[in-house]
Amino acid sequence: MVSTGRSSSHRPEWADSSWDSTILHIDMDAFFLSVELLDRPELRGLPAVVGGKSGRSVVTSPSYEARKYGIRSAMPMSQALALYPRLTIIEPSRDKYSHASKKIMEVLHDITPNVEQLSIDEAFIDVSGARRRLGTPAQIAALIKRRVRAVTGLPSTVGVAVNKSVAKIASDHSKPDGLGVVPIELTQQYLAPLPVNVIWGVGPKLYQRLVNADIHTVGELAQQDPQRMQRWLGAVGPQLVALAHGEDSRIVEPRQDAKSVSVEHTFEADITDSRLLEKYLLDLSYECSRRMRHDGLVAWGLSVKVKDTDLSTRTKSMSLHRPATSGAVFFKQAVPLLQALMQHRWHPVRLLGVRADRVAEPVVRQEVQESLFEADEHFEKPDATQDWISTDRILDDVAKKFPSAAIKPATLLQHERQQRMSDG
């Protein structure tokens, strides 16, 4: 039997072979696209992607039909269109994805509180405490797939194994809409023939080094001497050998709070005009704050990121004196960060981003820095705060009901008018 650092519990007579494989990895299938197809079923079975229509945008989520043409996530849209010119591009609808993600996580928390959310559409759960109530891990995985489909209409894939590493591999190899179960006693047998790059931590460069050393499969990696691997690869060497044996001592760690909320914009043409950069910074600040309010969060820090034409990325960050959720506050604090980034190294900018850091639910509502007066007049008019909080909420409601409505900060509209005049 595989040594996993976990003691095997007694199996009831009715239990199947998955009884001790209590770690589940749940991963949604082409999540963003699957959400969009709920409203556009006529696109099912066609090569389609979610992403911006700009040639400099990237593919966020390709359909499995698009993947047959070599189209992958994070691929430049221009490259995707070169591979398949008739590709259907769907602009992203972030609110839809957040809503679907919340429903999925609610399903998982109904199964067990031991949920570790990895991303908007992916999580680990430990079902060891739910077996007597809901059945074996394999049965619980099937139940999750049914409930997620019933609640969201979306397909999912679940991997069932003794630990995180093997569960992730099982789900990756069961897509789409699959259920992969690896009984504990078959872990090494399952892993051995797989290519070595299924192991966590084996990226393209390390994969090539292993292949050059005639280590092609997980089974071949498992046969390596850990001390020799440490001399060759450092501390990661023995870790890779352990993972190849199916050993992974990491536990499922529930994470209650998000750590950051970010928005970015890749420009059609590189930007050299500092005033135009500030216009986009203002727009991003308000979009970031709107997402924060939508999720009921506040930020204790703020960052601005620029990517230059040589693809190098630079970031400036700051802590906020009070938690904030107002676009006006974000913009006021973001401007000096952008200026600091551009002061000593001026290059045309390819991408601009704003990130709210150390986000959390507000502990005391009155402590939140939301007022436009607070942002613009150094907290000298606290009595007016509630009026501007209400204004933010009204704008959020209008944007939700009328997504195309041009309700923006006056400064942003002024920037746009000036830009149209200069273009004309």
Side-chain angles (χ1 to χ4, degrees):
M1 182 174 289
V2 177
S3 173
T4 62
R6 298 165 58 91
S7 59
S8 178
S9 57
H10 175 69
R11 297 181 182 180
E13 292 183 0
W14 51 266
D16 59 34
S17 61
S18 74
W19 180 258
D20 295 301
S21 298
T22 59
I23 305 302
L24 277 56
H25 179 256
I26 296 90
D27 197 6
M28 304 304 293
D29 300 327
F31 177 61
F32 300 131
L33 184 68
S34 296
V35 173
E36 297 292 349
L37 292 181
L38 294 175
D39 295 327
R40 302 185 64 177
E42 71 278 6
L43 297 179
R44 294 186 186 278
L46 299 178
V49 298
V50 172
K53 294 185 177 180
S54 160
R56 298 182 68 169
S57 298
V58 298
V59 174
T60 300
S61 179
S63 67
Y64 288 95
E65 292 76 15
R67 297 180 194 195
K68 294 177 182 177
Y69 293 92
I71 297 170
R72 297 288 182 267
S73 296
M75 176 181 286
M77 194 63 71
S78 56
Q79 185 178 345
L81 289 169
L83 290 171
Y84 189 78
R86 291 181 293 166
L87 186 68
T88 299
I89 302 173
I90 305 171
E91 294 276 0
S93 309
R94 295 178 179 85
D95 286 347
K96 290 182 183 178
Y97 312 145
S98 296
H99 179 72
S101 176
K102 183 178 179 181
K103 294 292 185 183
I104 294 163
M105 297 305 153
E106 286 174 352
V107 169
L108 301 185
H109 279 91
D110 283 343
I111 300 293
T112 174
N114 296 320
V115 178
E116 180 179 340
Q117 184 174 353
L118 303 178
S119 66
I120 193 170
D121 68 331
E122 183 182 9
F124 284 113
I125 69 172
D126 185 337
V127 299
S128 56
R131 292 174 296 180
R132 297 284 180 181
R133 176 170 55 94
L134 297 174
T136 67
Q139 293 169 333
I140 295 173
L143 174 65
I144 289 171
K145 284 176 57 64
R146 292 195 301 271
R147 287 187 179 178
V148 167
R149 176 82 73 166
V151 170
T152 67
L154 300 172
S156 61
T157 295
V158 183
V160 181
V162 68
N163 56 45
K164 286 182 172 181
S165 176
V166 184
K168 176 73 164 61
I169 293 171
S171 68
D172 286 345
H173 283 75
S174 302
K175 284 182 168 290
D177 199 15
L179 171 55
V181 180
V182 183
I184 185 172
E185 58 268 23
L186 298 180
T187 300
Q188 289 188 17
Q189 181 180 331
Y190 171 79
L191 293 174
L194 298 178
V196 70
N197 60 347
V198 304
I199 297 293
W200 260 348
V202 180
K205 291 183 179 179
L206 181 52
Y207 174 65
Q208 192 58 53
R209 291 183 67 183
L210 293 170
V211 169
N212 291 342
D214 204 27
I215 302 173
H216 300 270
T217 67
V218 176
E220 291 169 346
L221 177 59
Q223 295 172 5
Q224 303 305 309
D225 177 64
Q227 292 183 343
R228 175 178 173 273
M229 294 292 286
Q230 183 169 18
R231 289 193 296 270
W232 182 33
L233 299 175
V236 72
Q239 295 173 11
L240 294 177
V241 175
L243 291 174
H245 280 282
E247 299 171 0
D248 183 2
S249 61
R250 294 170 302 162
I251 64 172
V252 173
E253 298 181 283
R255 297 173 183 173
Q256 300 299 327
D257 299 325
K259 289 181 171 58
S260 66
V261 174
S262 62
V263 292
E264 297 177 350
H265 183 84
T266 301
F267 304 118
E268 287 278 1
D270 299 328
I271 301 293
T272 58
D273 185 338
S274 60
R275 290 178 300 176
L276 187 55
L277 275 177
E278 285 196 12
K279 173 260 178 184
Y280 281 105
L281 185 69
L282 182 62
D283 202 4
L284 291 169
S285 296
Y286 271 79
E287 173 62 17
C288 186
S289 71
R290 186 191 68 80
R291 294 189 193 180
M292 294 281 295
R293 293 192 299 273
H294 177 270
D295 294 335
L297 301 171
V298 297
W300 287 87
L302 192 70
S303 298
V304 173
K305 178 175 79 171
V306 297
K307 181 180 288 186
D308 298 329
T309 51
D310 63 358
L311 302 185
S312 62
T313 299
R314 295 174 290 124
T315 304
K316 281 284 186 182
S317 304
M318 67 169 297
S319 296
L320 299 173
H321 296 300
R322 299 169 65 187
T325 185
S326 165
V329 173
F330 283 13
F331 178 63
K332 181 177 179 63
Q333 306 298 340
V335 168
L337 295 178
L338 176 63
Q339 292 173 343
L341 284 169
M342 309 307 296
Q343 184 175 6
H344 300 297
R345 183 182 176 188
W346 177 256
H347 289 283
V349 174
R350 175 186 178 90
L351 174 146
L352 180 65
V354 172
R355 186 181 72 224
D357 294 322
R358 304 198 306 279
V359 303
E361 294 183 0
V363 178
V364 181
R365 186 69 181 176
Q366 287 73 17
E367 293 181 355
V368 178
Q369 184 180 339
E370 294 186 274
S371 167
L372 295 183
F373 283 125
E374 291 183 6
D376 294 336
E377 301 187 20
H378 306 284
F379 313 104
E380 292 177 359
K381 296 185 179 180
D383 293 341
T385 300
Q386 192 59 45
D387 292 338
W388 286 105
I389 293 174
S390 299
T391 301
D392 273 342
R393 291 174 183 162
I394 291 170
L395 295 181
D396 290 343
D397 289 341
V398 172
K400 186 183 299 183
K401 295 177 181 177
F402 306 100
S404 61
I407 299 179
K408 300 181 179 181
T411 309
L412 182 54
L413 294 174
Q414 182 180 4
H415 272 288
E416 294 179 349
R417 284 196 298 269
Q418 291 173 346
Q419 186 65 30
R420 287 195 296 268
M421 292 175 64
S422 62
D423 292 342

